Amino acid sequence: MPALDDTTAGLLQIGLLVVLLAAVHVPLGDFLARTLTSPRHLRAERALYRVLRVDGDADTRWPTYAVSVLAFSTVSILFLYAFLRLQQFLPLSLGMPAMEATQAWNTAVSFTANTNWQSYSGEAAVGHLVQMAGLAVQNFVSAAVGLSVAIALVRGLVRAGTGTIGNFWVDLTRSTLRVLLPMAVVAAVLLLLCGVVQNLSGATAYTTLAGGTQTVVGGPIASQEAVKLLGTNGGGFFNANSAHPFENPTPLSNLLQVFLILVIPFSLPRTFGTLVGDTRQGLAVLSVMGGIFAVSLALTTWAEVHAAGAVPQAVGAAVEGKETRFGEWASALFATATTSTSTGAVNSFHDSYTALGGGVVLFNMLLGEVTPGGVGSGLYGILVLAVIAVFVGGLMVGRTPEYLGKKIRQREVTLAALYILATPFAVLVGTAIALSSAATRSALLNTGPHGMTELLYGFASAANNNGSAFAGLGANTPFYNTALGLAMWIGRFVPMVLVVALAGAFAQQRRAAATAGTLPTRTPTFAGLHAVVVVVVTGLTFFPALALGPLAEALSGAAS
């Protein structure tokens, strides 16, 4: 049987992925809706509430919910920071020393904020206990925090005149125990069957066929990979991340990993539609997410397969920095999935992508990662942009600015606008400060437009809680560890507080009856407007920076 050509094989992979995501969209979305709104508590959950002294039946207003989110995340940062600073005294440390203070701060914020940016090599800096009880635990609970905030916003849209949006501790517990943990167990087994390593061995020396010695590091990899992907986390056990054969050994495991990254974010629009009692609202949101994702994937794939330049044209594609196990199509698919969500895992070297391909994956993050975005964060991000789209649409056609029966007043628009401005503030201010000093610019591998892209990508990845890197930025310095850590904190928790406040504002309102002047929000027309708002709002914010980086590089390459 003749082998498939690259184009056919790539299209088949994408087609199979779409079929799998479509197959689980309804059952998983409905399961999430039932789970996160059930009036019943499991026995284990009730026991946990007693230990935490939490009233599982309490219903809270938005300030209490927001304080709970910040308090839990702050304790998580402190706990993980202590873990990293004291790991030389812990079992299964593998002889690893304490992590330097600014790097420990960066890592603690990174994993708590669902960013998983790593300015270190995992196999050379962190022992097994810290990997399992520190980093992997945060992979679960940081994703659960995002899912909790998303459900709180949906509750705000559904409830009328109550002012309450649920109980954070209940949402956190259910998201972890009922959703992420069982799904991660199944995913870990599937990854094991695909050949991903799972053991507790340390560094072992082997004699190579050439007679030399090579040190191979094992560890609890499959279990961490599972939640790293399902929770849209992204931190790799190895420095090479999902390009390492122990993490991602075959094309089959690669496709499985992309599926795990996308499965919850692309199912949450169904959860949204089910909870608001109108599945067409969920389909409208899904069409925006899927449409922009498809355009991004097409552009990235085209840029890498039809790259300009003598060498790429001679070999048929831009193959530098890509695993031959996967090829250009699967690498572009993985890169699009990981930057369109808040995952940040990589199976190829984004710094080696073409100017256009690298610019597209950077733009995916700058969109706010809402196509489909991270677990929870993608849904609440796209809903905030829906609020802006309703407001803009109402101004354009003279319709009443309402979303699902809730009026878009000054308070709601202000909160949505501040949400949109928070991440650009962290990205652009951080990039500007880093560019202002020769000492901080020296961390860049390249100068000119590509160096600008490396730096912009770093702050975009941090502030959007992605965690991937262009790899041309030497980020393990006190300045970058501190600055990127602050960008992660701002990019995660400031928008979360604003979303919770927005949920509270909606929950206080009575539902307004639809009239002839109400703008319909479940139609293809509104979905198109929604998509335009997503792209234009981001483009207007970041276009000057993009013009100095990837766009300038692409134009200079075309001119030469």
Side-chain angles (χ1 to χ4, degrees):
M1 181 177 178
L4 296 175
D5 61 85
D6 290 345
T7 301
T8 303
L11 291 173
L12 285 175
Q13 285 186 74
I14 296 171
L16 179 58
L17 176 65
V18 171
V19 169
L20 292 173
L21 291 172
V24 301
H25 174 74
V26 171
L28 179 56
D30 288 347
F31 165 75
L32 292 171
R34 291 192 305 271
T35 298
L36 296 171
T37 58
S38 172
R40 297 179 60 250
H41 304 297
L42 301 180
R43 182 176 301 176
E45 293 170 347
R46 289 196 297 269
L48 184 59
Y49 299 151
R50 284 195 295 271
V51 171
L52 296 175
R53 297 185 179 182
V54 170
D55 181 2
D57 296 317
D59 202 4
T60 64
R61 303 177 73 85
W62 81 262
T64 302
Y65 202 102
V67 169
S68 299
V69 170
L70 294 177
F72 176 77
S73 300
T74 300
V75 171
S76 297
I77 291 172
L78 295 174
F79 177 81
L80 188 52
Y81 179 84
F83 234 151
L84 295 166
R85 294 288 287 158
L86 300 172
Q87 76 161 333
Q88 72 271 33
F89 304 115
L90 301 175
L92 299 176
S93 66
L94 307 182
M96 302 293 183
M99 189 173 283
E100 187 269 332
T102 61
Q103 191 175 47
W105 145 261
N106 180 283
T107 305
V109 174
S110 177
F111 278 78
T112 303
N114 199 243
T115 310
N116 303 81
W117 171 279
Q118 295 170 289
S119 61
Y120 61 90
S121 299
E123 66 269 39
V126 181
H128 290 343
L129 184 64
V130 173
Q131 291 274 18
M132 294 185 292
L135 306 184
V137 167
Q138 288 306 314
N139 283 348
F140 279 101
V141 296
S142 65
V145 169
L147 187 54
S148 300
V149 172
I151 294 302
L153 178 57
V154 177
R155 284 198 196 101
L157 289 166
V158 171
R159 295 181 177 181
T162 66
T164 58
I165 58 173
N167 187 319
F168 168 73
W169 303 103
V170 172
D171 293 338
L172 176 71
T173 302
R174 290 182 177 182
S175 298
T176 304
L177 297 184
R178 299 196 198 184
V179 178
L180 292 168
L181 187 58
M183 291 183 70
V185 170
V186 175
V189 172
L190 293 175
L191 290 169
L192 280 169
L193 293 174
C194 289
V196 179
V197 172
Q198 178 78 10
N199 56 46
L200 289 177
S201 69
T204 306
Y206 293 94
T207 301
T208 66
L209 294 176
T213 300
Q214 181 174 356
T215 300
V216 177
V217 178
I221 300 167
S223 57
Q224 188 157 329
E225 283 293 298
V227 69
K228 148 191 162 178
L229 301 163
L230 273 171
T232 58
N233 294 283
F237 192 93
F238 294 99
N239 187 46
N241 209 277
S242 287
H244 197 290
F246 284 8
E247 289 194 24
N248 191 9
T250 66
L252 178 61
S253 68
N254 189 72
L255 185 61
L256 173 61
Q257 292 198 9
V258 175
F259 171 78
L260 293 175
I261 290 170
L262 298 175
V263 64
I264 294 179
F266 266 131
S267 296
L268 281 172
R270 171 70 183 192
T271 304
F272 165 67
T274 300
L275 291 178
V276 300
D278 187 350
T279 55
R280 289 180 62 184
Q281 295 286 353
L283 288 174
V285 169
L286 179 65
S287 66
V288 176
M289 290 177 168
I292 298 177
F293 181 91
V295 172
S296 172
L297 175 60
L299 288 174
T300 305
T301 304
W302 179 85
E304 299 309 301
V305 173
H306 301 283
V311 174
Q313 291 180 358
V315 299
V319 298
E320 181 189 345
K322 299 180 179 66
E323 276 289 322
T324 56
R325 288 174 291 142
F326 309 134
E328 291 71 40
W329 281 78
S331 297
L333 176 60
F334 200 102
T336 303
T338 196
T339 54
S340 294
T341 62
S342 62
T343 310
V346 293
N347 75 344
S348 56
F349 202 51
H350 291 183
D351 194 37
S352 294
Y353 274 45
T354 62
L356 178 59
V360 173
V361 297
L362 169 60
F363 193 65
N364 290 339
M365 295 187 298
L366 296 177
L367 283 175
E369 292 173 335
V370 293
T371 60
V375 171
S377 61
L379 179 62
Y380 66 65
I382 200 76
L383 292 180
V384 170
L385 287 165
V387 169
I388 296 296
V390 168
F391 182 73
V392 171
L395 292 178
M396 292 172 62
V397 300
R399 296 291 187 94
T400 305
E402 296 174 1
Y403 189 56
L404 301 178
K406 300 300 178 72
K407 294 185 180 296
I408 311 301
R409 305 165 303 184
Q410 179 181 354
R411 180 182 179 186
E412 288 77 18
V413 171
T414 301
L415 290 170
L418 290 173
Y419 174 95
I420 291 172
L421 292 172
T423 301
F425 171 82
V427 174
L428 297 177
V429 171
T431 302
I433 293 174
L435 284 171
S436 65
S437 167
T440 52
R441 289 197 303 270
S442 66
L444 295 172
L445 179 64
N446 295 277
T447 58
H450 196 77
M452 173 66 182
T453 303
E454 290 173 349
L455 189 57
L456 181 63
Y457 193 105
F459 278 95
S461 179
N464 286 283
N465 304 127
N466 185 271
S468 64
F470 239 45
L473 174 65
N476 187 20
T477 67
F479 170 80
Y480 283 107
N481 280 328
T482 304
L484 292 172
L486 288 172
M488 295 173 206
W489 194 94
I490 293 171
R492 176 70 165 180
F493 298 112
V494 171
M496 273 190 171
V497 170
L498 294 169
V499 167
V500 174
L502 183 62
F506 282 137
Q508 290 176 349
Q509 292 189 37
R510 297 288 181 183
R511 187 176 300 279
T515 67
T518 302
L519 180 68
T521 57
R522 61 182 189 178
T523 64
T525 300
F526 180 77
L529 173 63
H530 192 178
V532 169
V533 167
V534 171
V535 176
V536 170
V537 167
T538 304
L540 291 176
T541 304
F542 291 105
F543 183 79
L546 291 169
L548 295 174
L551 293 178
E553 184 181 2
L555 291 174
S556 63
S560 60

